[in-house]
Amino acid sequence: MAFSEHRLIFKNIDAPGYTRDIACYQKHGGYEILKKGLAMGGPAIREEVKKSQLRGRGGAGFPTGTKWSFIDPAKTTKPIYLICNADESEPGTFKDRQIIYKDPHQLIEGMILSCFANGVKLAYLYIRCEFTEGWKILEKALAEAKAAGFLGKNILQSGYDLEIHVHRGAGAYICGEETGLIESLEGKRAYPRIKPPYFPAVLGLYMCPTIVNNVETLCNVKHIVEMGGDAYAKIGRPNNTGTRLLCVSGDVVKPGYYEFPCGAITLGQLIFNVCGGIRNGRRLKAVIPGGSSAKVLRAGEVYKIKEKDSQGNLVDREVKLEDLRMDFDSLAAAGSMAGSGGVIVMDDTRDMVECLANISTFYAHESCGQCTPCREGVLWLKKILSRVAEGHGRDEDPALLKDVADRIAGRTICAFGEAAAWPVQSFLGKFKEEFQLRIRRNGAAAKRDTISLTH
Amino acid sequence: MSVPLHAGTESCVGAEKGEITPVLEKQADELVSRYPISKRSAVLPLLHLWQETFGYIGPRGVEWIARKLSLQEIQVLELVTFYPWFRQQPYGKFHFRVCRTLPCALGGSGKTFAALQKLMNLKADGHEGAMISEDGRFSLEYSECLASCGTAPVVLRNDEFYEKVDEKRATELVAGCQ
């Protein structure tokens, strides 16, 4: 059975002859929606976004319309800022890269509409500097948009002024956290701010109301303005509306990026039909469904999920891993999350100790160091996991790892603590026997039977 | 043989050589103008500009940026030591970053790294961070996720991005360093 994509945001990406310059974008109807949006007015756009039930695509899945509603442009006396979070760095995620490199004007149009809707006069596009070509592409696209009158003073004679500047990060994952990003944009170390009181909607950039939205989220705004919030909400499932960009990596035949209505396909269909199944005729062992921070799912698992039946009553349903819908609520109900849409697949040759040690190495490298439980804890997680992986594990190590992870989650200023703890908790909980076996076969006998994933 | 690189001022190789040209000043001023509310926001852009011009950020860069933005030097230096992209010593003429995060690791980035290390004749020194060849031609380090997990393993060679870099492709990339 074939599964055809529903390409809304990726419509023109990889289309033959499609280029990233403004002429090509306009030939395909580009910036027409901006004209429509300017005529609608800001409050109307905000209303449509609310109706669309769009949820943020950066990882947390917070409703965008609600996020915007925390700020009332008519009442606030301070300037309002909007920042596009293009610091894509959640392991397993590579969707924003496609938009930035192949269709930058779609992002810019979505961003201008979002700025206009919220009375923003100055906006920044925070891009990770490892996108060494990406920031140049955006600079060029912004210049093109400005020359065409879509940015700058009096946009399309509407009386609305907007400047957007590109701001490059410098290799720190924590800048993807919105308050860390704001600190970084203020020229400081990217130490996330504590909430309350530093909700970006109140005390954001320069202590002014600030909206931080992901690249994919801002692109969605363009499509919501185009088709209307109600029509957009019909794509996908209730509370999981619109399309979702899914990035699949790891041990599948056809890794890549795909776009489907939210929840339209299951995890099994994504892996086995869309991505051609597991590489080299192997079997599925584990999958991380929403970026490396999401809890791992083990092949063969069955989840008890509460769902509404046709009468609207909540009923328990047993759902196999393969039958999990790829949407926010289903993956959350299975104890993991849709996160940033990065699906990492591992086959049955993979050593879960090595995989987890690799993930923890990432978090140990990326902890900003502000909160002690995280700064010290993730380093110990990495050290203990490395020694287990290298054949020097101790009997008490699995319990020790769990203990350390449990003491990080919930005890930090930002969600990085959870992001670092969840993989450890879930890998240990679901593949306990592998950790014990590795420790039993310690020392000289602990020959690595897989390619080392730790460095 | 390889020379270890460490974070921290004590290992800094000394002041950057080269002229601060009027062109550089102009570029810097344009960057500062993007932040009308707070000049301090321009620290990262100026650090990028300096590193791209002089190859690394030493005491001259820190002082110049601090003066330009009316900051204390520590307010600049603390960013150099926080953000992994910035370096206090020059890298090789050809700097390679190999992604080591899970999807790339599953795709064999460990083998890619080992191949590059051998081709560049670099020895691990037990320290985190980049290895640099004695002649200053090559340097190599692991990088965290470069956001192209579907085409693992991926490599950055200076500013150029390469996908699906297996050992054979790694050999070609090194051979292509002219």
Side-chain angles (χ1 to χ4, degrees):
Chain A
M1 187 178 163
F3 291 86
S4 56
E5 290 185 68
H6 179 119
R7 286 200 164 202
L8 194 67
I9 289 169
F10 279 171
K11 186 179 170 203
N12 295 318
I13 280 170
D14 301 327
Y18 192 80
T19 52
R20 60 185 173 227
D21 53 280
I22 195 165
C24 182
Y25 185 67
Q26 288 192 273
K27 210 166 71 195
H28 289 76
Y31 290 107
E32 288 304 315
I33 314 304
L34 175 62
K35 291 172 193 163
K36 181 182 174 187
L38 291 172
M40 280 165 69
I45 295 177
R46 285 209 305 283
E47 190 52 37
E48 293 304 319
V49 169
K50 215 166 198 179
K51 276 198 244 168
S52 75
Q53 299 175 50
L54 172 67
R55 292 172 69 168
R57 302 298 200 239
F62 193 80
T64 307
T66 310
K67 195 181 225 182
W68 287 9
S69 72
F70 294 147
I71 296 171
D72 185 350
K75 286 191 186 145
T76 179
T77 51
K78 290 178 175 177
I80 301 164
Y81 299 108
L82 185 140
I83 306 168
C84 169
N85 186 345
D87 192 51
E88 175 165 73
S89 35
E90 177 70 21
T93 318
F94 46 98
K95 61 190 179 68
D96 300 343
R97 172 190 280 275
Q98 315 308 327
I99 298 166
I100 293 164
Y101 278 69
K102 297 169 185 170
D103 201 7
H105 282 287
Q106 179 184 195
L107 168 62
I108 293 169
E109 187 172 8
M111 204 172 159
I112 300 170
L113 283 162
S114 304
C115 289
F116 171 68
N118 292 290
V120 173
K121 300 281 169 67
L122 179 60
Y124 292 96
L125 221 161
Y126 191 109
I127 182 172
R128 64 179 307 189
C129 70
E130 291 90 335
F131 286 171
T132 44
E133 204 191 344
W135 71 274
K136 292 176 193 157
I137 292 169
L138 289 172
E139 293 270 18
K140 183 165 175 278
L142 287 170
E144 286 175 338
K146 196 164 183 177
F150 303 131
L151 271 172
K153 295 262 177 232
N154 194 16
I155 294 171
L156 299 172
Q157 282 75 51
S158 64
Y160 173 59
D161 305 338
L162 172 67
E163 285 294 340
I164 301 178
H165 296 298
V166 176
H167 185 92
R168 271 190 291 164
Y173 169 75
I174 198 62
C175 295
E177 200 280 342
E178 61 179 1
T179 60
L181 185 156
I182 288 170
E183 284 283 301
S184 179
L185 188 46
E186 288 186 0
K188 302 171 196 161
R189 287 185 164 199
Y191 291 146
R193 296 174 177 172
I194 196 157
K195 297 182 269 188
Y198 296 106
F199 293 105
V202 188
L203 300 169
L205 183 64
Y206 310 130
M207 292 298 137
C208 291
T210 302
I211 294 165
V212 184
N213 282 145
N214 173 263
V215 169
E216 185 187 345
T217 311
L218 290 168
C219 289
N220 270 305
V221 170
K222 182 203 136 175
H223 298 283
I224 291 165
V225 173
E226 180 173 11
M227 66 176 75
D230 287 330
Y232 182 91
K234 289 202 178 87
I235 307 171
R237 291 166 45 77
N239 200 36
N240 297 268
T241 59
T243 62
R244 193 79 217 256
L245 305 179
L246 299 169
C247 312
V248 189
S249 61
D251 299 322
V252 290
V253 176
K254 285 188 292 179
Y257 42 88
Y258 305 94
E259 184 172 8
F260 286 96
C262 233
I265 57 164
T266 64
L267 187 52
Q269 288 164 345
L270 179 66
I271 295 172
F272 296 105
N273 300 84
V274 177
C275 296
I278 307 298
R279 262 200 302 236
N280 305 322
R282 296 283 178 185
R283 294 162 68 92
L284 175 69
K285 180 171 186 178
V287 54
I288 302 172
S292 69
S293 308
K295 289 190 176 178
V296 69
L297 304 174
R298 181 177 178 157
E301 281 182 332
V302 178
Y303 310 94
K304 275 205 172 68
I305 291 180
K306 281 195 193 310
E307 273 196 357
K308 278 186 184 157
D309 64 10
S310 50
Q311 272 86 46
N313 303 316
L314 273 183
V315 290
D316 278 326
R317 202 162 72 90
E318 288 205 336
V319 180
K320 286 193 289 191
L321 170 89
E322 294 79 13
D323 299 330
L324 278 174
R325 286 199 188 92
M326 289 303 291
D327 63 25
F328 292 99
D329 293 343
S330 303
L331 291 169
S336 189
M337 64 175 178
S340 56
V343 181
I344 307 172
V345 179
M346 288 156 273
D347 72 27
D348 57 357
T349 65
R350 298 302 183 180
D351 183 321
M352 293 296 109
V353 178
E354 298 262 351
C355 288
L356 180 59
N358 177 288
I359 292 173
S360 290
T361 302
F362 173 82
Y363 289 102
H365 185 264
E366 298 298 341
S367 173
C368 79
Q370 184 177 210
C371 311
T372 307
C374 173
R375 182 186 63 243
E376 303 298 319
V378 292
L379 198 60
W380 277 109
L381 291 176
K382 177 200 163 183
K383 285 179 181 176
I384 299 166
L385 280 162
S386 297
R387 86 174 170 222
V388 175
E390 283 160 12
H392 306 290
R394 302 169 190 170
D395 289 341
E396 66 271 25
D397 279 348
L400 181 59
L401 283 166
K402 183 178 181 305
D403 192 49
V404 174
D406 290 349
R407 283 162 200 261
I408 300 171
R411 289 171 165 83
T412 53
I413 285 173
C414 79
F416 183 100
E418 282 76 24
W422 285 344
V424 176
Q425 292 166 333
S426 60
F427 272 83
L428 278 172
K430 295 185 177 190
F431 298 96
K432 199 171 180 181
E433 72 287 354
E434 276 199 41
F435 288 84
Q436 289 165 338
L437 187 69
R438 186 62 162 247
I439 292 164
R440 267 210 305 281
R441 289 167 57 216
N442 258 347
K447 266 200 308 190
R448 293 193 188 186
D449 38 14
T450 54
I451 302 158
S452 174
L453 301 180
T454 51
H455 312 291
Chain B
M1 269 298 288
S2 53
V3 182
L5 288 176
H6 312 292
T9 46
E10 73 281 357
S11 64
C12 199
V13 290
E16 306 90 312
K17 291 181 185 70
E19 198 193 335
I20 298 169
T21 61
V23 174
L24 188 73
E25 294 274 4
K26 205 168 149 243
Q27 283 174 314
D29 293 339
E30 192 279 319
L31 287 169
V32 175
S33 76
R34 296 176 174 199
Y35 307 95
I37 314 300
S38 166
K39 279 199 293 188
R40 187 174 178 181
S41 284
V43 187
L44 284 190
L46 293 193
L47 284 169
H48 278 298
L49 179 66
W50 186 273
Q51 183 164 288
E52 278 153 18
T53 309
F54 296 98
Y56 68 104
I57 297 155
R60 266 182 84 202
V62 171
E63 192 197 336
W64 182 71
I65 293 169
R67 197 172 325 128
K68 213 159 193 65
L69 302 177
S70 312
L71 296 170
Q72 300 292 323
E73 287 180 21
I74 186 62
Q75 292 172 310
V76 179
L77 183 61
E78 69 174 0
L79 301 199
V80 179
T81 56
F82 180 85
Y83 292 95
W85 192 259
F86 299 130
R87 51 186 181 261
Q88 293 178 289
Q89 297 191 341
Y91 279 167
K93 186 179 172 200
F94 296 96
H95 183 65
F96 286 69
R97 289 182 176 86
V98 180
C99 178
R100 78 167 143 202
T101 316
L102 188 59
C104 274
L106 294 171
S109 65
K111 280 185 182 170
T112 303
F113 189 90
L116 287 169
Q117 192 179 337
K118 199 170 163 206
L119 287 162
M120 296 170 185
N121 196 22
L122 297 167
K123 281 200 182 68
D125 54 34
H127 289 93
E128 289 247 341
M131 297 181 278
I132 183 165
S133 65
E134 251 185 4
D135 60 3
R137 186 164 166 73
F138 295 114
S139 51
L140 172 67
E141 70 178 338
Y142 271 119
S143 159
E144 295 302 347
C145 188
L146 292 171
S148 190
C149 319
T151 54
V154 296
V155 169
L156 267 176
R157 183 181 72 181
N158 294 343
D159 273 0
E160 302 151 15
F161 180 66
Y162 297 95
E163 301 170 299
K164 298 184 184 173
V165 184
D166 56 11
E167 288 155 290
K168 181 171 167 280
R169 187 89 182 93
T171 311
E172 291 165 8
L173 286 186
V174 172
C177 290
Q178 297 301 329

